[in-house]
Amino acid sequence: MQIELWLIRHGKTPGNACGRYVGRTDEGLEPEEENRLACIREKGIYPGNAVVCVSPMKRCRQTAAVLFPGREQYIADGLQECDFGDFEYKNYEELNGRADYQTWIDSGGTGGFPGGESMDDFCGRVTAAFERMVSDMITGQLSCGSQMALVCHGGTIMAVMAAFGDPRRDYFAWQVRNGCGYRVILDTQKWSAGEHRLVLQSEVAV
């Protein structure tokens, strides 16, 4: 069975608008963002009848409610954004000049966040949670049909696609804007046989 899976980043939050590192902060969308997301919905870009899975964070649940009104939301725990630790809800201007921030910059963004998650820990958490979700789909614990939408976070999508995306790209090559994402094909028979691939069909850029 082939599943058309949409990986969608949540809409813009006040923190996103200010360039802040928004991880564990559970803030909602910007006041006008629901209108922008509604315009995306009206364009028919995303499938209205898809099964909807969401990160537990408010910004993801609100986004899903606008893009997929009336659809039940299945909470996918473990797919939350990275814990940015001491950098949480700060932006470049507030962090510039700090030794720990400069160390992180010098690492090319691959070093751990002080007081938060390392890149390896974050990607490991996300990929394990995604594999659990797919297992639930295959075993029927999560009824998915042929179309499914996962509304989550930019970092989450990057981690998933870096691990399973086809073609292969590194983590930072999978960055995506708010409200945008990727349409991929997940073949459940191949996945069950150990071929864990998400075959890219298109990128949604709106």
Side-chain angles (χ1 to χ4, degrees), residues 9-10 16 20-26 55-57 59-60 78-89 104 109-127 152-159 171-172:
R9 185 184 178 192
H10 62 78
N16 294 151
R20 299 185 181 279
Y21 293 94
V22 185
R24 62 178 181 267
T25 302
D26 198 14
S55 157
M57 305 303 280
R59 52 194 182 270
C60 298
L79 295 178
Q80 295 92 322
E81 182 60 276
C82 184
D83 182 347
F84 296 117
D86 296 344
F87 300 165
E88 177 68 25
Y89 217 73
W104 182 79
T110 62
F113 294 96
E117 289 182 293
S118 69
M119 182 63 71
D120 286 345
D121 287 346
F122 166 62
C123 290
R125 164 171 64 81
V126 167
T127 54
C152 53
H153 309 269
T156 302
I157 293 172
M158 292 159 70
Y171 178 86
F172 291 104

Side-chain angles (χ1 to χ4, degrees), residues 29-52:
L29 302 176
E30 277 199 304
E32 298 301 317
E33 187 67 354
E34 290 194 9
N35 292 334
R36 188 180 76 87
L37 292 171
C39 290
I40 294 174
R41 181 192 67 225
E42 294 304 316
K43 292 178 181 179
I45 295 171
Y46 296 124
N49 292 325
V51 171
V52 180

